[in-house]
Each structure stands twice: as C-alpha cells, then as structure tokens.
Amino acid sequence: MTCGRCGASATQGSDGAWTCSNQCGWSSAAPAPAITPEITATRCRGCEAEVHGLDGRYACGLCGWSNHWDEGHHPLPAAGTPPWGPNTR
C-alpha cells in the first residue's frame, strides 16, 4: 500500500492501520477531516433582515439578534480540537 498523502510506501501495524514509511504523519487510522462549513441564509428573527451564517448559526449585524448555538446543522467540535484535524499539519 502507498501513503495517502505523499505516495511513499506504507506499513501495516498490528492494529490493521497503515502508516507512512516516509514519516510524513499520514495514517489510515486517522479520523476523517472536519466537515467543511456551509454558508447558509435565513431571515433575522429580530428585524427580518436577511442574515448569512455558517451551518445554520446566525448573528444579525443590524439588530444584534443571534440564534442559539445548538440550532446549527452540525455539532460543534470538542473544545481544544484543531479545526484542520490532527494529520494535516
């Protein structure tokens, strides 16, 4: 098997996961990258202006209204989780 990042050969560990032999940090056991946020739009509940946000989370710059964080389309990442994932830097 080859590395999914740099193309070097990969070795299989006892857990069945593949790891790059070139030590670029790639592993087949690594979690999938974070979901890319989607720009969404709705009407402000305070002043009816059109507002845009990320994944259903909105804040109005005209009247100050914002929806609750748990109304978003996807769960928020855990505190301290890097947004780029552990194997991309």
Side-chain angles (χ1 to χ4, degrees):
M1 174 153 193
T2 59
C3 172
R5 182 180 296 159
C6 71
S9 64
T11 56
Q12 190 172 22
S14 59
D15 63 352
W18 292 88
T19 305
C20 179
S21 301
N22 199 24
Q23 299 172 351
C24 75
W26 177 83
S27 170
S28 67
I35 298 171
T36 303
E38 177 185 357
I39 298 174
T40 54
T42 192
R43 289 278 172 205
C44 171
R45 295 179 198 158
C47 68
E48 292 297 314
E50 183 174 317
V51 292
H52 298 259
L54 295 176
D55 289 334
R57 293 180 175 90
Y58 306 103
C60 180
L62 297 176
C63 72
W65 168 84
S66 64
N67 66 335
H68 195 267
W69 63 268
D70 69 356
E71 293 179 31
H73 300 168
H74 303 289
L76 292 171
T81 303
W84 53 82
N87 284 341
T88 57
R89 289 210 169 184

